[in-house]
Amino acid sequence: MDKEMNQKYSNVSFPSDIEEMFIDIINKDLVSKKVLNYITRIRREQKKAVTIIDIAENLKIERRVGIKNGKTMQYEKRFAAIDRKTVERSVDKLSGMSLISYELMKPYKLLSPTLRGAQIVQKLQSRKEVENNG
């Protein structure tokens, strides 16, 4: 969602049933969940927008990494940075879901959460707290 469309719908939040559906969608995609949490956290703590490069450099996930052992390759699970293309796909998905907005500043896209994105992150965190306490 670009900046102009975000301003047009800035006060719109999700009803509870749509909110639950979006939470289920985000929970199924670990990368999108981490990207949305990262964008929201940086915006809240540092009051600045994030670029795709920032996300790719600072966000790590557990994934299989190939390690050469002589002539054979072995794969181990390690925490590694997310590939930039993977981040781009996730950003496009979150933008299409209207959870984040972007402002084009050539050659960058400055990303920030929308009201709906912050709403989803807040619900995800409250669900996590309930699961940890309950």
Side-chain angles (χ1 to χ4, degrees):
M1 173 180 281
D2 64 5
K3 186 178 179 181
E4 292 171 8
M5 190 177 294
N6 182 43
Q7 287 176 345
K8 183 177 179 182
Y9 297 106
S10 64
N11 296 326
V12 177
S13 61
F14 289 135
S16 61
D17 56 340
I18 302 291
E19 183 180 87
E20 291 298 320
M21 179 183 72
F22 274 50
I23 289 171
D24 290 341
I25 291 169
I26 294 295
N27 270 331
K28 296 231 185 278
D29 185 359
L30 178 66
V31 174
S32 293
K33 183 177 178 181
K34 286 192 173 246
V35 168
L36 181 60
N37 278 325
Y38 181 78
I39 292 170
T40 305
R41 182 171 44 89
I42 294 298
R43 182 63 171 199
R44 183 177 54 237
E45 292 173 358
Q46 300 177 8
K47 306 284 190 246
K48 69 174 193 170
V50 180
T51 64
I52 290 173
I53 295 169
D54 292 336
I55 297 168
E57 289 174 351
N58 296 314
L59 200 60
K60 299 193 182 312
I61 60 169
E62 187 177 24
R63 64 183 179 126
R64 291 179 50 172
V65 177
I67 300 170
K68 197 166 189 173
N69 188 8
K71 292 185 178 182
T72 62
M73 288 288 286
Q74 292 182 339
Y75 292 92
E76 293 181 1
K77 283 191 174 185
R78 291 191 177 172
F79 280 95
I82 300 175
D83 182 50
R84 186 181 55 81
K85 284 289 185 187
T86 304
V87 173
E88 287 176 359
R89 283 191 292 272
S90 180
V91 163
D92 287 342
K93 177 181 178 178
L94 293 170
S95 179
M97 294 170 72
S98 76
L99 300 179
I100 62 173
S101 66
Y102 61 87
E103 180 180 356
L104 286 175
M105 299 209 44
K106 297 285 182 178
Y108 302 107
K109 273 186 183 179
L110 299 177
L111 309 168
S112 57
T114 62
L115 173 71
R116 294 165 299 284
Q119 178 185 0
I120 295 297
V121 168
Q122 184 179 9
K123 280 290 190 178
L124 283 168
Q125 290 172 347
S126 65
R127 263 194 188 181
K128 187 176 180 180
E129 288 174 7
V130 168
E131 289 173 3
N132 289 341
N133 293 334

